[in-house]
Amino acid sequence: MRQSSIARRALLGACVAAAFSTALPANAQNAAAQFPNKAVRIINPFPVGGGPDGLSRLVAEKLSRIWGQPVTVENRPGGNGFIAIDAWKRGAKDGTDLLLLDNVHLTAYPFLFKKLPYDAAKDFDTLLPLFRTHFFFTVPVNSPYKTVGDLIADAKANPGKLNYGSWSIGNPVHLGSELFKSMTGTQMEHVIFKETSQLYTSVSTGDIQFALGSAATAGPLYRAGKLRLLAYAGPKRSTDYPDVPTVAESGGPKDFAVMGWNAIAVPPGLPAGVAEKIRTDILQALSGPDVAERFKTFGYEAFPVTRAQFNEFVKEDSKNIGQVIRKANISID
């Protein structure tokens, strides 16, 4: 079985390479063939040790072998990701400085900040998503809510008395919860915590009624038996948590979903051959069983879309998130 899987991956890689070589003109192929001729950086807005950081380091290690050049991860956390983005904007424009972006940088911040130190529509060429992750409704193990329908009923019976948590304004958990309120016609209080660990500990102790959480953030307390997963905010059940119903199956809104994702960006105007080579080689780096194991650990999912499809997805996601922000009148400055 494993040999068959490896053979399929090898065949897929060969097909991708063949299609890549024939789809580009000769000058673009030459530019791609010469890339990279020096060390490459992946500038990362996340601190060392988290899921996105670990995945980016695994990808960097594989790209080093593919390209025969050092590929390093440079962490620039803090400042809503602006520190990393600024460092990248001042860096090389030839594709040897790559940028890891969180979905909020592209879809939420343009609506949350009156002034941004970047133009989300013009400053980035988003090549591909590295992964996506959906969120769970997490509640204390002794919560009276057995379904999302129970939670909605209590929120409607007691307007403004229930609360939910997140770690900042404008993150996917906050905006997803605001979307949930909007779709269910409920009122609940937003409680902000300094750290994700504090947030889910407060859920486990019953200090707040619920919080949306990913397998990476809430998973450790769930596995320790200190949290219960009420429902999964994805289009279908998670293959890693098959016993957890979807929100619709649990009595919630039919089309409710909350998803986070990370993407790799390059400077606009990069030669087509170079951009496509980076994209193709990152896809190759993401194809191994070690990456699949990392995905499983953090509850990540592959996000298989073409470059054009991803750009359209980002536009649609931004539009939908903008509507949530405007309706809830959320602002950071």
Side-chain angles (χ1 to χ4, degrees), residues 1-9:
M1 180 71 176
R2 186 177 178 183
Q3 288 181 343
S4 176
S5 177
I6 292 172
R8 285 197 299 270
R9 285 198 299 270

Side-chain angles (χ1 to χ4, degrees), residues 71-87:
V71 181
T72 59
V73 175
E74 185 174 302
N75 297 84
R76 296 288 189 99
N80 298 301
F82 300 164
I83 296 171
I85 291 171
D86 180 67

